[in-house]
Amino acid sequence: MSKHRVGNVDINKVVDFEQSLWRAEDLFPDVTPGMLEEGRATLPPGFIHPEEDLVYLSFHSYVLRSGGRTILVDTCVGNCKERRSLPSWNMLRTPFLENLAAVCVRPEDVDIVMSTHLHADHVGWNTRLLDGRWVPTFPNARYVMERTEFEHFRDLHATHSAVPVTRGAFADSVLPVVDSGQAVLVEMNHVLEGIRGDGIWLEPSVGHSPGHVCVHVGTGRDQAILSGDVIHSPIQFTHPDLCSAADFDRDGSRRSRRALMERLADTGSLLLTSHFPSPTAGRLSRQGDGYAFRFSD
């Protein structure tokens, strides 16, 4: 498990599952063979398949320890979740809780569960199956969600669409923590710990979803950003306009991605990504019309 310290905050990556293979054109509809070949030539092994047009993704969370509190950012796909629209996520059995225990965190130790957004692969371990019911996995936690994000998916769910909202995750991984009284709706600039500029706070990064936020950690010049799904693969550093098929608003996604990269470039600030296989984290520098990423795990 990779570990970083930013200011007074300890950050651990906790894996749900890694080395998940995706058809490149399914993940990035506008990807070209040239982009993939460039990635094979420049990226570490384990990001793009050496022969086929396949991209590797990881699904992991981050544990932040600060001021005696434990914050879990995003909770991956989860176990026993029915995801018929995506067989690779359907009825998983992963050792996520064991991996969490490996960094000395029990479910009852978590004070805050923070969702960068409410897609199925970021809220799945919000709940677990107990006696046929979905119950909060983290019994003492406040589950913090951005208000616009929650209201968007709540309204979709209320239409009783034939297509389960967020592949069914809104029903089995979000609503149970609302029903338990543990959900807390916040604005996009909410401060989780300390103050802005010295602690842990949220920043808007809409586009991939209506209320997507990044989590910013830092004090002074020691800074890190947990980017959620602003970026899915390092090929987007050299091709920042390349969008994910799951983006809600592609223009908004491009703007948020470019703004994040421009903000981080040449600063020494750490970028902690949600879907890069190890090495996961790194630092950005400007390179032509795009950016270069120096892995730091």
Side-chain angles (χ1 to χ4, degrees):
M1 303 295 174
S2 62
K3 182 176 181 179
H4 302 273
R5 186 169 180 84
V6 179
N8 295 319
V9 182
D10 289 318
I11 305 174
N12 285 95
K13 184 178 80 170
V14 178
V15 173
D16 196 7
F17 60 102
E18 278 197 299
Q19 297 297 309
S20 175
L21 273 173
W22 294 67
R23 291 177 57 192
E25 64 269 28
D26 290 345
L27 185 61
F28 301 117
D30 297 326
V31 73
T32 67
M35 292 177 187
L36 296 174
E37 197 56 43
E38 177 187 26
R40 290 187 186 98
T42 59
L43 295 174
F47 283 87
I48 300 175
H49 193 279
E51 299 172 354
E52 301 179 54
D53 290 348
L54 300 171
V55 175
Y56 292 93
L57 296 183
S58 171
F59 295 83
H60 51 261
S61 301
Y62 291 100
V63 172
L64 280 56
R65 292 184 176 93
S66 174
R69 293 203 296 176
T70 299
I71 301 170
L72 180 63
V73 179
D74 290 334
T75 62
C76 306
V77 178
N79 277 0
C80 305
K81 301 292 170 82
E82 188 174 285
R83 304 288 182 256
R84 295 185 181 182
S85 62
L86 190 56
S88 62
W89 291 358
N90 192 50
M91 304 303 289
L92 286 176
R93 296 279 187 173
T94 74
F96 179 79
L97 293 182
E98 290 85 346
N99 292 340
L100 195 63
V103 297
C104 302
V105 176
R106 303 168 301 170
E108 57 268 32
D109 297 332
V110 176
D111 299 296
I112 296 174
V113 175
M114 177 66 228
S115 300
T116 59
H117 61 298
L118 299 182
H119 285 175
D121 56 323
H122 291 258
V123 299
W125 276 102
N126 281 5
T127 60
R128 61 187 179 92
L129 196 60
L130 180 64
D131 297 329
R133 296 174 52 246
W134 294 111
V135 302
T137 303
F138 308 100
N140 300 319
R142 293 184 293 130
Y143 285 75
V144 177
M145 309 172 197
E146 199 282 325
R147 186 181 305 277
T148 301
E149 182 86 353
F150 173 79
E151 291 177 349
H152 170 80
F153 289 115
R154 178 202 62 193
D155 292 348
L156 280 180
H157 182 74
T159 66
H160 304 288
S161 170
V163 179
V165 174
T166 61
R167 303 185 188 273
F170 192 79
D172 63 34
S173 302
V174 176
L175 288 181
V177 301
V178 175
D179 293 341
S180 73
Q182 291 172 250
V184 179
L185 302 184
V186 301
E187 308 306 319
M188 289 186 184
N189 59 356
H190 181 73
V191 176
L192 291 170
E193 181 82 26
I195 59 174
R196 293 181 67 82
D198 185 7
I200 304 170
W201 66 97
L202 309 184
E203 296 183 338
S205 50
V206 299
H208 181 66
S209 68
H212 191 289
V213 294
C214 292
V215 179
H216 200 135
V217 180
T219 181
R221 299 182 64 180
D222 197 4
Q223 304 283 325
I225 293 181
L226 284 64
S227 61
D229 279 4
V230 175
I231 300 162
H232 285 80
S233 168
I235 62 175
Q236 291 174 287
F237 293 127
T238 48
H239 302 281
D241 289 334
L242 186 64
C243 287
S244 160
D247 285 347
F248 171 78
D249 172 1
R250 290 191 179 186
D251 286 340
S253 172
R254 292 185 185 101
R255 286 193 297 270
S256 289
R257 186 161 45 256
R258 281 193 172 273
L260 179 64
M261 292 178 184
E262 184 63 21
R263 177 176 182 172
L264 289 172
D266 302 324
T267 65
S269 295
L270 187 67
L271 178 62
L272 295 159
T273 65
S274 286
H275 292 299
F276 289 14
S278 294
T280 299
R283 292 173 171 84
L284 276 171
S285 60
R286 292 178 180 85
Q287 180 174 281
D289 293 333
Y291 303 86
F293 192 64
R294 185 177 75 255
F295 292 95
S296 65
D297 278 17

